[in-house]
Amino acid sequence: MYQENIVLCGANAYEQKYYFNPDFAALPPSIQDELQIMCVLYTEDVGGILLLEFDEEGSLQFKVEAMEADARFDEIGSVLKIKEIRREKEELLQSLEMFYRVFCLGDGWEDE
């Protein structure tokens, strides 16, 4: 089992970059594309840095960071945008958690 959170992907509005963890290259390209679009749109709308991380139980966490001097970052908008993503992408996020638990943590299907 992993000791700390494992980053799946993330986007950075400051550097205008997207990161996808190559350890998850087994995910279908369509899923990888959807994650990229989701992360980049978030940072374009809200600003800051968004990371999608798996915690030690296999739950997908949204980690948001912003520079202190970033007047463009919308903290309230960030919370609302994450709620919207969780609602609209619920099936995708649950599937990613299942993938991680089965293929990375070695949990069986019967756990769900």
Side-chain angles (χ1 to χ4, degrees):
M1 190 173 291
Y2 292 109
Q3 298 289 15
E4 55 188 53
N5 290 357
I6 303 300
V7 175
L8 169 63
C9 60
N12 183 325
Y14 307 117
E15 297 178 11
Q16 296 184 334
K17 291 188 178 182
Y18 172 76
Y19 169 78
F20 181 79
N21 187 339
D23 291 344
F24 296 98
L27 288 171
S30 61
I31 300 296
Q32 293 181 36
D33 292 344
E34 192 168 349
L35 288 168
Q36 181 176 5
I37 292 166
M38 182 177 74
C39 289
V40 170
L41 285 177
Y42 169 90
T43 57
E44 285 296 313
D45 287 349
V46 179
I49 301 168
L50 173 67
L51 296 174
L52 272 62
E53 299 179 339
F54 290 105
D55 64 18
E56 57 272 353
E57 286 88 34
S59 296
L60 197 55
Q61 305 296 322
F62 286 68
K63 183 178 177 185
V64 177
E65 297 177 18
M67 294 180 162
E68 256 185 66
D70 184 1
R72 184 178 167 264
F73 181 74
D74 181 0
E75 193 169 333
I76 295 171
S78 172
V79 172
L80 295 174
K81 188 71 172 176
I82 289 172
K83 284 182 180 182
E84 177 185 335
I85 291 169
R86 286 192 179 277
R87 185 180 63 251
E88 291 179 358
K89 305 289 186 184
E90 180 179 9
E91 188 175 329
L92 170 67
L93 300 174
Q94 287 177 348
S95 297
L96 288 167
E97 289 176 343
M98 177 62 75
F99 173 88
Y100 184 79
R101 287 182 184 130
V102 171
F103 293 103
C104 298
L105 297 179
D107 289 351
W109 291 97
E110 65 275 359
D111 291 345
E112 287 296 311

